[in-house]
Amino acid sequence: MALLMPFVSVAVSILYTPFLLLILCIIFLASIGKSLGVRRLYVNILLKLFEYGRQHIEVAKKLQRHDSSDEEDPPIPDDKPPSAIIKENGLNGTKMTVIERQEILGPSPELNYRKDQNGHRTEQGIGETNLEFHFYHCMDLVKAGMESIIEDQVTSVFEAEELRSWNLLTRTNRQYEFLTWRLTIIWMMGFVVRYFFLLPLRLLIFVIGVWWLIVSTACVGTLPDGPFKQRVNYATSILSFNFLSRCISMVITYHDGDVNKPKNGICVANHTSPIDVLVLMCDNCYSLIGQRHDGFLGLLQRALARASPHIWFERSEVKDRHAVARRLKEHISVPDNPPILIFPEGTCINNTSVMQFKKGSFEVGGTIYPVAIKYDPRFGDAFWNSSRYGMLHYLLNMMSSWAIVCDVWYLPPMHRDPNETAVDFANRVKAVVARRGGLVDLMWDGQLKRMKAKKEWRELQQEEFSKRLKRE
């Protein structure tokens, strides 16, 4: 051990100055909202590296199939099962399903619908005038039930999104690190870069960023309320969150922000991860709403509340919808308050789909600003599976990934029509978000992640099945 100390001290003395200059450069660029383009260059290099790896994987697969047997085996598809249907999501992602459904079942029979050969939605019962019973009349529901047993629409959205090709990470569904010696060398070099260079640097940036956020919000909190405090809070918030975004090498592309970026009211977005807040706060200042926490999250909540009007609820108040609606109305009634950021799904989805938007935030009135967020899973999976990983494990995965790359679309503001219910308005906003982000629009409640389907839903479908048997 004594022999290693001189080498360690020499290495520290050599690397200390450039490392300190790098941190200062990151702070300065974050403070003025600029970038040297290093992260985008880094992402482009990774894309070329992934393409190189994909070509070697295809060559190795062909050689293995050629040498495995003299018998002629059926061709093996590259990245999907023979019956798979690829659903394009936005620019980069894929949603792979084994079954092509024609009969789509919803929580209640009136939400059931069929798809024609072109994939268009058609209403049931159109053109049926014959009341005579035939056994095949009920087979559509039986077929839909069997399809749900094999692969339902809900379970798959709480698993990590599958990749078309390997991204040199062993935590994904593709693992080819020992397929060829070239891939092994590339994977080992990537492991060293991620864990022995990027991870320590990102941890240091994270610690400095959290410290800066706490200190800056404490200083802003001492200022008297007014326009000056709001301008200072906006500047410090953008600086702090842009600096924190460096700890996961985040590359964000914002679309239509000059036209549709919210200034007040309610901003709603699809929810994939806790870093959704970081993604949006890098470009605008928002007020947040949520349950009051202890520990590290509680520390951040108290820091943010010093500088800006956020809404934090005690555990006993979370289920009180009237209290939530009252505080939301109070917030949006003040024109100078920042827009309040809400994730109506209420849970994290794997960024292939959008699930049911809760109606609470659409009942209070005011202007709704929809935002669609789409992550590129090739560089790192941003989805947080809270039932499998804790927050610390999730943060470690984020910091040891290649990068977090995403697109954000600011959509035109929307208002509730006079005769429109809050549920219909929520579904209309959800459809706009899903269409812009290239996501699958699902009608199911995201809380099915933690609870079983309601008994009433089963009874309604059973009643619908009996009506088909009786030809009512």
Side-chain angles (χ1 to χ4, degrees):
M1 187 67 182
L3 295 176
L4 292 177
M5 291 305 297
F7 295 100
V8 173
S9 61
V10 171
V12 170
S13 62
I14 294 175
L15 297 177
Y16 175 77
T17 301
F19 201 73
L20 180 61
L21 291 175
L22 177 62
I23 296 296
L24 292 175
C25 180
I26 292 173
I27 295 175
F28 174 73
L29 291 174
S31 65
I32 61 175
K34 300 296 182 181
S35 174
L36 296 177
V38 176
R39 284 175 295 169
R40 294 190 182 275
L41 176 62
Y42 165 68
V43 166
N44 291 330
I45 293 174
L46 286 177
L47 287 175
K48 294 179 181 179
L49 190 62
F50 296 161
E51 177 63 19
Y52 177 80
R54 184 189 65 81
Q55 294 175 358
H56 275 273
I57 290 172
E58 290 181 352
V59 171
K61 280 184 175 182
K62 290 179 181 179
L63 292 176
Q64 285 183 350
R65 290 198 297 268
H66 182 268
D67 296 337
S68 60
S69 175
D70 294 332
E71 299 179 0
E72 185 176 354
D73 294 331
I76 302 175
D78 290 335
D79 290 318
K80 55 183 181 293
S83 58
I85 300 166
I86 304 300
K87 170 68 179 179
E88 291 293 342
N89 288 325
L91 300 177
N92 305 307
T94 61
K95 172 69 171 71
M96 300 182 67
T97 57
V98 176
I99 299 173
E100 182 178 5
R101 304 174 190 273
Q102 293 181 341
E103 182 90 9
I104 308 298
L105 300 183
S108 58
E110 60 268 16
L111 296 177
N112 296 352
Y113 64 92
R114 292 179 58 84
K115 286 184 177 180
D116 57 19
Q117 295 180 351
N118 298 323
H120 299 135
R121 179 169 176 164
T122 60
E123 299 297 330
Q124 296 183 355
I126 297 178
E128 294 184 4
T129 57
N130 184 13
L131 299 181
E132 183 180 353
F133 170 76
H134 294 283
F135 185 70
Y136 65 82
H137 288 155
C138 62
M139 293 307 294
D140 288 338
L141 280 175
V142 175
K143 177 175 177 287
M146 295 299 294
E147 290 173 345
S148 296
I149 293 174
I150 298 171
E151 182 189 54
D152 64 86
Q153 290 182 301
V154 176
T155 306
S156 60
V157 303
F158 299 124
E159 299 292 337
E161 184 177 358
E162 293 190 1
L163 300 175
R164 286 188 179 182
S165 58
W166 190 40
N167 62 355
L168 305 179
L169 298 178
T170 56
R171 68 189 67 155
T172 63
N173 59 301
R174 309 288 181 182
Q175 297 184 8
Y176 300 112
E177 63 269 24
F178 300 118
L179 190 61
T180 66
W181 65 269
R182 289 186 178 88
L183 288 176
T184 302
I185 292 176
I186 294 174
W187 171 74
M188 292 179 64
M189 292 175 61
F191 180 88
V192 171
V193 169
R194 287 187 295 111
Y195 281 95
F196 293 96
F197 176 71
L198 291 179
L199 182 59
L201 178 61
R202 290 169 175 174
L203 285 172
L204 180 61
I205 294 174
F206 176 75
V207 172
I208 296 175
V210 171
W211 174 83
W212 171 256
L213 177 65
I214 294 173
V215 171
S216 62
T217 51
C219 295
V220 173
T222 61
L223 299 175
D225 293 337
F228 178 71
K229 179 179 179 179
Q230 293 173 357
R231 289 195 297 270
V232 174
N233 175 58
Y234 183 89
T236 56
S237 174
I238 296 294
L239 190 155
S240 299
F241 285 100
N242 270 284
F243 183 80
L244 279 171
S245 69
R246 267 68 171 179
C247 75
I248 50 177
S249 300
M250 184 172 284
V251 179
I252 313 171
T253 304
Y254 297 98
H255 306 270
D256 302 324
D258 296 337
V259 180
N260 300 322
K261 187 186 299 184
K263 300 295 188 298
N264 48 39
I266 299 175
C267 177
V268 298
N270 58 301
H271 196 26
T272 303
S273 158
I275 66 174
D276 293 338
V277 176
L278 177 61
V279 169
L280 295 176
M281 294 282 270
C282 285
D283 192 49
N284 198 9
C285 185
Y286 295 91
S287 292
L288 304 178
I289 181 172
Q291 180 179 321
R292 196 182 301 275
H293 291 276
D294 297 323
F296 177 70
L297 287 178
L299 177 66
L300 293 180
Q301 286 180 332
R302 291 190 295 272
L304 292 171
R306 295 190 193 103
S308 183
H310 299 274
I311 303 176
W312 308 123
F313 292 97
E314 298 294 344
R315 185 180 297 272
S316 59
E317 298 178 303
V318 171
K319 295 184 179 180
D320 188 349
R321 290 199 310 112
H322 297 291
V324 175
R326 185 186 71 253
R327 296 188 65 176
L328 277 175
K329 287 181 180 178
E330 292 174 355
H331 182 91
I332 65 175
S333 63
V334 180
D336 294 333
N337 280 344
I340 189 160
L341 179 59
I342 299 177
F343 301 104
E345 291 169 295
T347 189
C348 295
I349 313 300
N350 70 353
N351 209 225
T352 62
S353 309
V354 181
M355 302 197 77
Q356 181 188 85
F357 277 12
K358 304 296 178 59
K359 65 178 182 179
S361 55
F362 300 90
E363 291 177 325
V364 298
T367 305
I368 299 294
Y369 294 87
V371 174
I373 305 174
K374 179 60 188 175
Y375 293 92
D376 190 337
R378 293 175 295 180
F379 304 96
D381 184 19
F383 170 58
W384 181 34
N385 190 347
S386 57
S387 60
R388 180 176 298 181
Y389 303 116
M391 177 58 75
L392 291 178
H393 191 168
Y394 172 75
L395 289 176
L396 178 62
N397 281 343
M398 291 295 95
M399 293 185 185
S400 58
S401 297
W402 292 112
I404 299 298
V405 181
C406 69
D407 286 87
V408 176
W409 289 272
Y410 293 105
L411 304 176
M414 302 178 67
H415 298 85
R416 182 176 170 182
D417 295 334
N419 298 324
E420 190 175 30
T421 65
V423 174
D424 292 336
F425 184 36
N427 289 333
R428 183 159 63 92
V429 174
K430 176 169 67 78
V432 170
V433 171
R435 184 165 56 252
R436 176 64 272 189
L439 307 169
V440 180
D441 187 357
L442 298 179
M443 65 188 79
W444 296 99
D445 187 356
Q447 295 304 318
L448 289 172
K449 178 181 182 179
R450 301 179 179 88
M451 66 180 187
K452 295 182 179 180
K454 295 179 180 179
K455 183 180 178 182
E456 294 82 2
W457 294 350
R458 295 196 299 270
E459 292 175 348
L460 288 172
Q461 294 294 351
Q462 290 167 358
E463 184 179 349
E464 173 68 13
F465 185 72
S466 67
K467 288 181 179 179
R468 290 201 182 189
L469 289 177
K470 293 186 290 185
R471 301 297 294 157
E472 293 183 359

